[in-house]
Amino acid sequence: GQNIDQPTEMTATEGAIVQINCTYQTSGFNGLFWYQQHAGEAPTFLSYNVLDGLEEKGRFSSFLSRSKGYSYLLLKELQMKDSASYLCASYSGAGSYQLTFGKGTKLSVIP
Amino acid sequence: NAGVTQTPKFRVLKTGQSMTLLCAQDMNHEYMYWYRQDPGMGLRLIHYSVGEGTTAKGEVPDGYNVSRLKKQNFLLGLESAAPSQTSVYFCASSYAAEGEAFFGQGTRLTVV
């Protein structure tokens, strides 16, 4: 089975750092995606982690611990345009294609 | 560079009517997907395709049918629309199963 948990909402201040957590229980787990979705728009890809550890991409970093079933997205130097929903999704390719999305974390960046 | 294009963008249907949503991608991707997104539910996979002429069921396939007659197109059909199918539908495509998915702009469907 697949189960993804992430906080529903978070608020952070412009210029600050925020960490969005995601826990998963996925049989046949292969990797963990993060997508960004602005209100009324389509999701856009941020990262895909397969191996344990931290991967950095500019202001955004993503971390994975396979043994703990845990990932986080770290956003540095927050900007107002970072206000969006952040979707965590676990991928399992065992047998058939399975990409399970969490319900998303709505991040509000305030001045 | 169009990417993934969905038509229509908005539609209102009466219960029992049928319709087809069209998804077209110009990136030569093998994988294509249809998702629905409902408040508090996240994105849920309806059907997907791993190549021209192939389709498979996702998490919530009931009430929907799909076809992939051409590699660039993935059609989602509702044979007899129900109010429970009111949702935002997203099409996506990717080069590989573990690759970055590119999403269309979404179709907002209301069934009354």
Side-chain angles (χ1 to χ4, degrees):
Chain A
Q2 323 289 348
N3 189 38
I4 309 274
D5 284 313
Q6 51 182 134
T8 303
E9 293 185 34
M10 298 182 71
T11 301
T13 305
E14 192 176 14
I17 299 173
V18 71
Q19 178 175 312
I20 302 174
N21 296 324
C22 171
T23 58
Y24 63 88
Q25 294 172 328
T26 303
S27 55
F29 176 80
N30 278 53
L32 197 291
F33 286 92
W34 284 97
Y35 282 84
Q36 179 190 59
Q37 185 177 25
H38 286 99
E41 297 183 9
T44 55
F45 172 83
L46 290 176
S47 64
Y48 180 56
N49 292 61
V50 175
L51 302 176
D52 285 356
L54 185 69
E55 291 192 9
E56 299 187 58
K57 272 188 193 180
R59 294 190 300 115
F60 291 13
S61 302
S62 55
F63 172 85
L64 178 67
S65 169
R66 298 176 70 102
S67 62
K68 295 182 179 178
Y70 168 68
S71 174
Y72 66 74
L73 183 68
L74 192 70
L75 291 72
K76 302 176 185 175
E77 301 170 13
L78 279 173
Q79 301 176 9
M80 299 301 290
K81 68 179 182 179
D82 297 330
S83 292
S85 288
Y86 292 86
L87 314 179
C88 166
S90 70
Y91 172 67
S92 166
S96 63
Y97 176 88
Q98 288 192 50
L99 182 64
T100 304
F101 279 86
K103 295 177 181 179
T105 299
K106 184 178 179 182
L107 174 67
S108 298
V109 180
I110 58 176
Chain B
N1 201 8
V4 179
T5 303
Q6 290 180 231
T7 52
K9 291 185 175 57
F10 301 93
R11 185 72 186 269
V12 179
L13 283 180
K14 293 183 178 179
T15 298
Q17 285 185 320
S18 64
M19 77 164 294
T20 300
L21 281 68
L22 172 63
C23 177
Q25 53 97 1
D26 62 2
M27 295 172 283
N28 202 33
H29 285 167
E30 292 292 340
Y31 289 73
M32 295 188 75
Y33 321 90
W34 276 106
Y35 290 92
R36 61 177 290 173
Q37 188 173 39
D38 303 291
M41 296 295 294
L43 280 162
R44 291 182 292 169
L45 183 65
I46 304 171
H47 286 278
Y48 65 97
S49 168
V50 301
E52 181 179 318
T54 73
T55 63
K57 295 179 180 179
E59 182 185 355
V60 288
D62 294 343
Y64 305 95
N65 58 75
V66 287
S67 64
R68 183 105 181 261
L69 298 179
K70 292 183 178 180
K71 186 176 184 179
Q72 63 268 34
N73 295 338
F74 195 30
L75 278 63
L76 178 71
L78 286 72
E79 291 183 346
S80 180
S84 61
Q85 294 177 304
T86 293
S87 187
V88 179
Y89 291 85
F90 286 102
C91 174
S93 72
S94 65
Y95 180 74
E98 293 185 72
E100 172 184 355
F102 293 83
F103 285 79
Q105 71 273 41
T107 297
R108 187 173 295 276
L109 175 66
T110 302
V111 182
V112 298

